[in-house]
Amino acid sequence: MPNKQVIYQKTQKGTEAVANRHSGLAPRLRSLLIMVDGKRTYAELTTMAAALGDPQRLSELEAEGLVAPAVAEERTMPAALEPAGGPQPSATAAPQRAANLAQAQRFSSHLLEHLLGPMAEPLCIKIEGARDLADFVAVIKRAREIVREIKGAAEAERFVAQIEAQMPAG
């Protein structure tokens, strides 16, 4: 079983396949290839692949030489929020500061998945696909509304407070 913390990146062949819309890749496979950004782990990408209908898609991209493992990344997320579960973080625990927007996106995605389970997948994909802070904030506002509908106003405000604590300074 592959190490779930290994980061994947596009190879030169993968970059060319994305640039060439007529590369012959199936649409869902191309979508997953686009999501490979050199920042997401095997676990994150296979979760996204499952949302696209087939968790084995990442292996297919790797077999075709379109993606390859990069170096493992140090996680800044509290262990309690990892997708595997664990106890919910206490409201008094000060979360570590995210170093950049990408880390805030991953943190937010994992937090939302922790709160809502599998129904969070479409929003998680949008969160991680946000290209800038404005897109990210728009998706988080939508996520807050969904958390409010499902878990209540207090949980929605805790969700937003935890994300704000992870936002890059400045």
Side-chain angles (χ1 to χ4, degrees), residues 62-136:
E62 188 173 14
E64 291 184 26
L66 299 170
V67 299
V71 296
E73 177 181 299
E74 178 102 7
R75 304 295 291 193
T76 61
M77 183 183 319
L81 295 180
E82 289 289 8
Q88 188 163 352
S90 71
T92 60
Q96 297 176 354
R97 203 89 164 123
N100 59 38
L101 179 59
Q103 286 178 320
Q105 288 171 293
R106 284 192 299 275
F107 177 87
S108 302
S109 182
H110 287 298
L111 179 59
L112 190 60
E113 189 175 60
H114 177 75
L115 288 171
L116 303 180
M119 70 173 43
E121 279 305 313
L123 273 174
C124 291
I125 291 171
K126 288 180 181 179
I127 288 170
E128 293 192 14
R131 294 182 182 199
D132 57 30
L133 185 59
D135 288 346
F136 175 73

Side-chain angles (χ1 to χ4, degrees), residues 2-139:
N3 180 348
K4 293 182 179 189
Q5 295 304 312
V6 171
I7 306 292
Y8 273 78
Q9 63 188 13
K10 290 179 194 78
T11 62
Q12 181 63 33
K13 183 178 176 183
T15 302
E16 291 169 5
V18 169
N20 178 6
R21 290 191 172 271
H22 305 290
S23 63
L25 286 175
R28 290 182 179 177
L29 195 58
R30 185 173 189 279
S31 293
L32 181 60
L33 180 58
I34 290 169
M35 290 181 217
V36 176
D37 61 2
K39 298 175 185 171
R40 292 187 174 109
T41 64
Y42 176 86
E44 292 166 325
L45 291 166
T46 54
T47 298
M48 292 174 166
L52 293 173
D54 186 0
Q56 299 303 315
R57 293 285 192 173
L58 186 60
S59 299
E60 190 176 332
L61 289 174
E62 188 173 14
E64 291 184 26
L66 299 170
V67 299
V71 296
E73 177 181 299
E74 178 102 7
R75 304 295 291 193
T76 61
M77 183 183 319
L81 295 180
E82 289 289 8
Q88 188 163 352
S90 71
T92 60
Q96 297 176 354
R97 203 89 164 123
N100 59 38
L101 179 59
Q103 286 178 320
Q105 288 171 293
R106 284 192 299 275
F107 177 87
S108 302
S109 182
H110 287 298
L111 179 59
L112 190 60
E113 189 175 60
H114 177 75
L115 288 171
L116 303 180
M119 70 173 43
E121 279 305 313
L123 273 174
C124 291
I125 291 171
K126 288 180 181 179
I127 288 170
E128 293 192 14
R131 294 182 182 199
D132 57 30
L133 185 59
D135 288 346
F136 175 73
V137 169
V139 177

